[in-house]
């Protein structure tokens, strides 16, 4: 019942923002979360208030509750002071009020001591941490602005070995090697440094993405799997390497080599069926034609000319791009302005385009990146070899729902998506379809130009509030073949067929240029080239024997 606006003004604004929403943004993702805050004298009073505001903002998107996310906080200087434990509060309002009441210690910087307290006390069951077998992720966020007065390496290692995932946030002149010694690996995901306390608030959206995403249970290190740990939606399972099976304990593995030795002999016999057209006796389900396999008692489905067999082995489809091969990368806007429902429409639109391609290692390869405030590779060019597996991967995509950094996405596409490491092939046309629904928060022209100069053909697809000038900067020329716009997603079908046709036409033309010298029927047929090469080699040998080429 306390009036929140007797708190510092910045915290009051955050409080009002939080409770204008009816539910937390990390609903259904429970954590045991402990803040470890540097309260040394090097942190000035006004900067200390900024740290408190940052902590409150992180708490704002957590689903705080006894059976949801539990939050604890300790601050340290020359000593460690536990402000509240994981079991103290079960309501977000109480956590925020406790944060606002924190008093600056203004003493030394015993970071190692604070890390040991975190491991031994803050994450103990006595302080409210849930038992390890419950598999609730344990997460600590360390915020510091200076060099520690004690060693941190051993204390941080012990914390990580205990299954605590550590985010290290440094402000100002913090030694990066110290932050790396504290944070979990990979450091690119767990170690952050900002220039001053005014910039610390920029990390709020970064941590919302990380903490609200599915936790990497395997990375927490307490899975106990003998061979391999595989993440599931809300937990993990253990798997064994080839030649082994999982024991009943669900964690250890045993070899399959001796399972049947000396115990059982199995003889498998095939009895040929002759004179029987199996296609006439079963409901084969072939869309076009069923062909019996004589003597084997089985059949296969085939399609008419110009069609390809679907992944189900029965249906047939006529692909748009039946001749050319390409490396195609989708760059998909997952910003907040799009909305979750429309994001599902975009996924169906992507799958519709994929359905028109002949996907294979030798034909068309497809990769996809989604972007918002950051860029996420959903799958690389090398990852999938069938249209079905690509469409399944697209259907599994999770909406990011933050900012709109189209320029960063174009940079990622240029630097990574079309690299040999991610499966891009030499001599194959490179095509990118960029979908966006609004103005970018960064510059798009630099990286779009670099990609186009490197030979990437870019199709820009804009919807709703997309900016025409930005679309022109992104798209290849001419605009009438590479730029598409529609007012809303419900009318995407108006441009889809045209886009498919342009992509396939451009791909076929590129393939003709790339492969003209080796095409059947061309003046430079392979046989002719080989004969010429053999004749030239023999002439060189003759000249060498006559010493014409000596010296």
């Amino acid at each position: 019942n306390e009036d929140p606006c007797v708190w510092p003004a910045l915290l009051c604004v955050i409080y009002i923002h939080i409770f204008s929403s009816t539910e937390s943004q990390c609903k259904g993702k429970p954590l045991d979360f402990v803040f470890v805050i540097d309260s040394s004298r090097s942190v000035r009073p006004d900067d200390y208030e900024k740290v408190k505001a940052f902590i409150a903002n992180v708490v704002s998107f957590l689903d705080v509750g006894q059976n949801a996310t539990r939050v604890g906080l300790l601050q340290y200087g020359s000593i460690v002071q536990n402000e509240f434990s994981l079991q103290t509060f079960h309501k977000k309002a109480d956590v925020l009020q406790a944060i606002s009441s924190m008093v600056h210690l203004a003493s030394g910087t015993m970071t190692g001591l604070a890390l040991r307290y975190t491991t031994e006390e803050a994450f103990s069951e006595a302080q409210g941490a849930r038992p390890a077998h419950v598999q609730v992720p344990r997460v600590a966020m360390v915020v510091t602005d200076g060099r520690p007065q004690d060693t941190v390496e051993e204390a941080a290692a012990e914390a990580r070995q205990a299954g605590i995932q550590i985010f290290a946030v440094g402000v100002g002149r913090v030694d990066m090697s110290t932050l790396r010694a504290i944070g979990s690996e990979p450091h690119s995901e767990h170690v952050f440094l900002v220039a001053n306390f005014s910039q610390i608030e920029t990390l709020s959206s970064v941590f919302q993405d990380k903490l609200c995403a599915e936790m990497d249970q395997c990375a927490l290190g307490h899975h106990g799997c003998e061979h391999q740990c595989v993440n599931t939606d809300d937990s993990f399972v253990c798997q064994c390497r080839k030649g082994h099976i999982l024991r009943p304990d669900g964690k250890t593995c045993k070899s399959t080599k001796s399972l049947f030795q000396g115990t059982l002999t199995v003889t498998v016999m095939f009895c040929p069926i002759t004179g029987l057209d199996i296609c006439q006796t079963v409901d084969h389900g072939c869309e076009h034609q069923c062909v019996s396999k004589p003597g084997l008692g089985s059949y296969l489905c085939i399609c008419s000319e110009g069609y390809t067999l679907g992944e189900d082995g029965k249906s047939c489809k006529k692909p748009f791009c039946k001749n050319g091969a390409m490396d195609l990368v989708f760059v998909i806007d997952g910003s907040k302005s799009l909305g979750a429902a429309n994001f599902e429409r975009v996924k169906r639109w992507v799958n519709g385009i994929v359905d028109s391609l002949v996907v294979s290692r030798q034909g068309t390869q497809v990769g996809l990146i989604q972007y918002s405030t950051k860029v996420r590779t959903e799958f690389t060019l090398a990852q999938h070899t069938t249209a079905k597996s690509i469409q399944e991967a697209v259907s599994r995509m999770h909406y990011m729902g933050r900012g709109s950094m189209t320029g960063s996405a174009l940079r990622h596409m240029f630097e990574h998506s079309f690299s040999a490491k991610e499966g891009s092939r030499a001599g194959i046309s490179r095509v990118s379809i960029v979908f966006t629904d609004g103005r970018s928060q960064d510059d798009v022209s630099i990286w779009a130009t670099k990609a186009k100069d490197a030979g990437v053909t870019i199709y820009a697809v804009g919807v709703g509030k997309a900016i025409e000038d930005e679309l022109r900067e992104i798209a290849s020329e001419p605009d009438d073949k590479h730029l598409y716009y529609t007012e809303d997603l419900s009318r995407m079908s108006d441009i889809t067929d045209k886009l498919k046709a342009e992509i396939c036409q451009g791909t076929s033309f590129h393939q003709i240029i790339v492969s003209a010298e080796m095409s059947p029927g061309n003046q430079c047929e392979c046989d002719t080239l080989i004969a010429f090469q053999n004749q030239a080699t023999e002439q060189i040998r003759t000249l060498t024997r006559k010493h014409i080429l000596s010296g």
Side-chain angles (χ1 to χ4, degrees), residues 262-279:
T263 59
L264 180 64
T265 301
V266 179
T267 302
V268 179
M269 298 182 64
F270 287 95
C271 301
I273 303 174
T274 59
L276 178 64
D277 185 351
I278 195 71
C279 291

Side-chain angles (χ1 to χ4, degrees), residues 334-349:
S335 60
K336 181 169 56 177
S337 60
L338 183 65
N342 281 335
F343 186 71
E344 293 301 315
R345 285 183 172 182
V346 173
K347 286 160 63 174
R348 291 193 292 271
W349 174 72

